[in-house]
């Protein structure tokens, strides 16, 4: 029988199994730091939308509408382009870490931005 965990001792995991809001990154919500020190974003993709945009920022993931169909990697490419634009980064600094064929994705940022700064920019884009 597996050991029982005390209430509140388990770390919450977002999309793609990435730790969300642990003591390591200091950020709460879908943006955190991974073991390598990169900022990661848990994303819930909504492909084939009329316009690309951040739809919501919840505790689990950032909802992103993508103006591209989910075929041949078009939606993934548009997601990378859109997030790079919103976060004011080069496309080469934004990459898809997990979830290439899923709506739940993990995006990795290779930039000096902190998780708090990324979360602030995403919330501003959401309106």
């Amino acid at each position: 029988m597996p050991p029982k965990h005390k209430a509140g001792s388990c770390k919450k995991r977002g999309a793609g199994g990435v730790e969300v809001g642990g003591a390591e990154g200091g950020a709460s919500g879908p943006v955190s730091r991974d073991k390598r020190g990169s900022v990661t974003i848990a994303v819930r993709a909504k492909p084939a939308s009329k316009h690309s945009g951040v739809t919501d920022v919840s505790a689990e993931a950032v909802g992103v509408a993508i103006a591209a169909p989910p075929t041949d990697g078009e939606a993934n490419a548009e997601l990378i382009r859109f997030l790079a634009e919103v976060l004011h980064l080069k496309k080469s600094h934004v990459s898809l870490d997990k979830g290439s064929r899923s709506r739940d994705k993990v995006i990795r940022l290779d930039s000096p931005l902190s998780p708090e700064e990324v979360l602030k920019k995403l919330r501003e884009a959401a309106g």
Side-chain angles (χ1 to χ4, degrees):
M1 183 177 238
K4 296 198 179 205
H5 296 284
K6 292 180 184 175
S9 66
C10 293
K11 293 195 179 193
K12 191 172 184 181
R13 297 199 177 264
V18 172
E19 288 181 13
V20 175
E24 219 177 309
S28 61
V31 182
S32 63
R33 283 208 187 271
D34 66 2
K35 293 175 185 172
R36 294 180 238 163
S38 298
V39 175
T40 59
I41 308 169
V43 172
R44 176 71 172 163
K46 299 164 188 169
S49 299
K50 283 190 175 186
H51 304 285
S52 293
V54 177
T55 58
D56 64 291
V57 179
S58 70
E60 292 81 33
V62 176
V64 180
I66 304 166
T71 53
D72 299 325
E74 289 180 47
N76 290 336
E78 173 62 14
L79 175 63
I80 298 292
R81 186 209 62 77
F82 175 72
L83 287 176
E85 178 183 312
V86 166
L87 299 172
H88 307 289
L89 298 171
K90 293 181 180 180
K91 284 193 299 184
S92 61
H93 292 174
V94 181
S95 61
L96 181 62
D97 192 35
K98 294 180 184 175
S100 64
R101 294 178 165 261
S102 171
R103 288 180 191 256
D104 293 320
K105 301 176 184 297
V106 177
I107 303 295
R108 177 180 312 281
L109 305 178
D110 297 319
S111 78
L113 291 174
S114 71
E116 293 80 12
E117 291 171 315
V118 171
L119 193 57
K120 181 182 176 192
K121 288 183 180 190
L122 291 170
R123 285 191 172 134
E124 287 172 359

